[in-house]
Amino acid sequence: MLARISCVIFAFIAAAPLLKPVIGAPDSSSSFLRGNPTSNQEQRLLESDAQWTYAIAAAEFEGQGRNLQGNRPKPKITHNVESVEGYFYEVDMSTGSIASDIASGDPVTLPPGAFISANKVNLGGGNIQRKKKKTKKFKFTRALEDTLSEEQKRNRAELRRHLAVTGIKTFVAVRVVAANDAATSSLESQLREEVFGFGGSDNFNLKSGYEGCSHGQLTISPGSGSSQSNNIVNGVVTITVTTDTSEGDGAMRNAITAEINSQFGVTNPTELADYFMYCLPPNTLNGVAYAFINSWQSVYNDFWCNRPSAQMHEIGHNFGFGHSGENAEYDDQSGMMGFSYDDDEGPRMCFNAAKSWQTGWFSSKSVTMNIGGDGPTDNCLITDLTGQSEYDAQLSQTILVKMNRDGDDLFLQYNKATGINSGTLEGRNQVMIVRASGEGTSYAVSDLLAKLNAGASYVSDDYLGEGKDLTVSFISVVEGKARIQIDYGGVCSGATFAPTPAPCPGQKQVTVEVTTDNYPAETSWSIVKDSTDPCVGQDNPSSLSGTGYDQQNTFYSNEYCVDEGKYIFTINDSYGDGICCSYGTGSYKVLYGNTEVAQGGAFGSSETTTFGTCKSVSTPLPTTPPPTKNPTPSPTLNPTPVPTPSPTEDPTPAPTNAPTTSPTPGPTNEPTLDPTPSPTEAPTPAPTGSPVGCLLAKFGESCTKDPDCCSGSCSGGKPSSRTCLAE
């Protein structure tokens, strides 16, 4: 059953060291509490001069299924403070206020008399203020900060983010046993397989996903650690707590951290590994998963710890990635920061252009346009985009383009559905344009603005408020790359590019794309001419089909050349449950020329779509066996193109035997009529009696019935060997 992630995002952006949530109900020895705390954490006074950090939390919840229609709940924004020990408490904003100059991650002070009641901070009518730093070093640093240009600040921010998503990062997945004997469903061996790929049967997981998307620039390494009471083995450990699942994920999470610190003799878990994944027992977490932004901890509802899309999504938050949205907070399904899916082996995809820019993985293959500037490519760029899945460090490639302006920037990439990105669920093989703030180097929610097929354009009117439009055009596909043009203010009008030959001269190209589910052999499809097409009549043989799929969760693409006309596409599932979303996240798409005419995945036994229009003169589609009976995975798939109307065997240009009957009762030694009744050694392509300008098949050409021929006569025999006779 496919599900969208129910994700709770805590936007804690604390100063180094990164967040270290501490544990459980603190006791009276905690440095920030006064008095004797009760078990229900009520009426505990807080030290106003203690070190606190302001933190914003954004909690999102989504329902099940893939229906993108209807209203969805907006993120819930909360204001929180974090103690030096790592406790996080929500601030009751009805009891006070927060100074307007404070940003998430800033050090703050609480007003005198603030206290915790029911796990919330009551400000007692006071205000949270920015904490002043008093060292001379700060003044020097602040002065140095003021001397940096905006470009230097951008470069520094990008370097910090790049370092955070490259290199070797250690991870630990925690299996939990609760006080009421509830436990994480997966055993340690299963978690090792589902997170790190140990055992060899799990092909897509946190490790293979991030290492594949980064092309080896990020390594996911299993953490380790040992003590007298416990051991972290190949990145997995079991922790037993005295907390009951009914106490909720917050209490459970802190209890787990307390046990890790206690059993391994550390101040906080980050002394053992860079990142921790808490896999909670069933009925502990009301949702699917959540993670702390720019931090070390992610939390999962039981089996969601095994799902690669949930793993990559939540760890993406740890890396500082925001959601990828389109019409809502995170419904951009082209990458992992959109929805997550209840799929053990997919979908295989990476990240959209804004998130990919943030990773720094493609910094050497990126182009920055300062729109409105005076640089050589600031206002006009024509280039070929390589899909990020086909990154090659040794080649000169352009993978990402960023269009700078004050405020939000635009990011562009070719979302090629191959390799590690073969399972992308939206914008397959299209040029994608997304918008995001933060210069593409810090946490920001992105918006998908456009998905372009070849020949399409996106126009942003009056882009900079100067009366000039920004136009992004997907010109064509050239040798597997997307040729694009970005034009601000019409300055590209004199630029040229090499034209790409039409793939089907005089005909239409039909492209059928199928991503299989967990049972690929159940899937088949066909395309036939529509019998209601007046140009076709009743002669509608099935001409194209696809069967024999044998690879799970794999993308296939077939291209054919056909005459213009009206066609019926039918996709079938022999079991009757479609290809999405009960057993995998399969999908299909049909393009007629550059226009998408059919798409889907969630159907029963079959789904049918009619496309195309009647043409005044129509040639029947060939009756030879359909190509691509056993397709192979893209990109090596080379389907046989639709054959031309010529016969499958070379017909002889004239009858092989002379007529058995002479045309005259008693022929003389020299015939009295022209032409001769039997063919000459080198006959002309058509008999001299053929009507001038006839548009039908001529003498010797293939036919299926008499009206196909200029002579009005088609020979008998097998359909594949029939030819037109002489008049």
Side-chain angles (χ1 to χ4, degrees), residues 714-727:
C714 181
S715 67
K718 295 182 178 180
S720 61
S721 61
R722 295 177 184 174
T723 59
C724 290
L725 301 177
E727 291 182 339

Side-chain angles (χ1 to χ4, degrees), residues 1 8 14 25 44 55 154 178 253 279 307 343 355 435 447 457-458 579 621 636 663 671 689 709:
M1 182 68 179
V8 184
R44 288 178 292 152
R154 290 176 185 173
R253 181 189 69 235
C279 308
R307 300 298 183 252
D343 186 344
K355 305 303 183 291
R435 176 179 59 202
D447 296 311
S457 297
Y458 166 80
I579 55 178
L621 286 170
T636 59
C709 302

Side-chain angles (χ1 to χ4, degrees), residues 78-133:
T78 62
H79 303 272
N80 308 267
V81 290
E82 173 199 0
S83 73
V84 292
E85 290 85 353
Y87 293 93
F88 294 94
Y89 295 99
E90 181 180 346
V91 177
D92 184 348
M93 294 301 295
S94 67
T95 65
S97 62
I98 299 174
S100 60
D101 62 340
I102 299 176
S104 184
D106 285 346
V108 296
T109 58
L110 301 183
F115 62 92
I116 293 177
S117 177
N119 279 324
K120 286 190 176 183
V121 175
N122 188 310
L123 298 177
N127 300 324
I128 296 178
Q129 301 288 338
R130 178 190 292 274
K131 187 177 182 65
K132 296 180 180 180
K133 296 183 179 181

Side-chain angles (χ1 to χ4, degrees), residues 563-601:
D563 288 333
E564 286 191 59
K566 196 173 183 181
Y567 299 94
I568 300 174
F569 170 82
T570 303
I571 187 166
N572 306 286
D573 183 88
S574 60
Y575 191 78
D577 61 350
I579 55 178
C580 184
C581 304
S582 298
Y583 300 97
T585 54
S587 63
Y588 72 87
K589 181 167 71 174
V590 180
L591 298 176
Y592 186 55
N594 294 323
T595 303
E596 180 180 303
V597 294
Q599 63 86 28

Side-chain angles (χ1 to χ4, degrees), residues 16 20 58 70 115 156 159 195 239 314 404 428 455 462 528 650:
K20 301 178 177 61
F115 62 92
R156 183 183 61 181
L159 176 61
V195 177
I239 295 295
E314 301 307 332
N404 273 341
R428 301 173 66 87
D462 195 12
V528 299
D650 292 333

Side-chain angles (χ1 to χ4, degrees), residues 141-159:
T141 304
R142 184 63 177 272
L144 180 62
E145 175 81 9
D146 292 340
T147 66
L148 296 178
S149 67
E150 289 302 316
E151 186 65 26
Q152 288 172 321
K153 292 178 182 178
R154 290 176 185 173
N155 291 339
R156 183 183 61 181
E158 182 167 355
L159 176 61

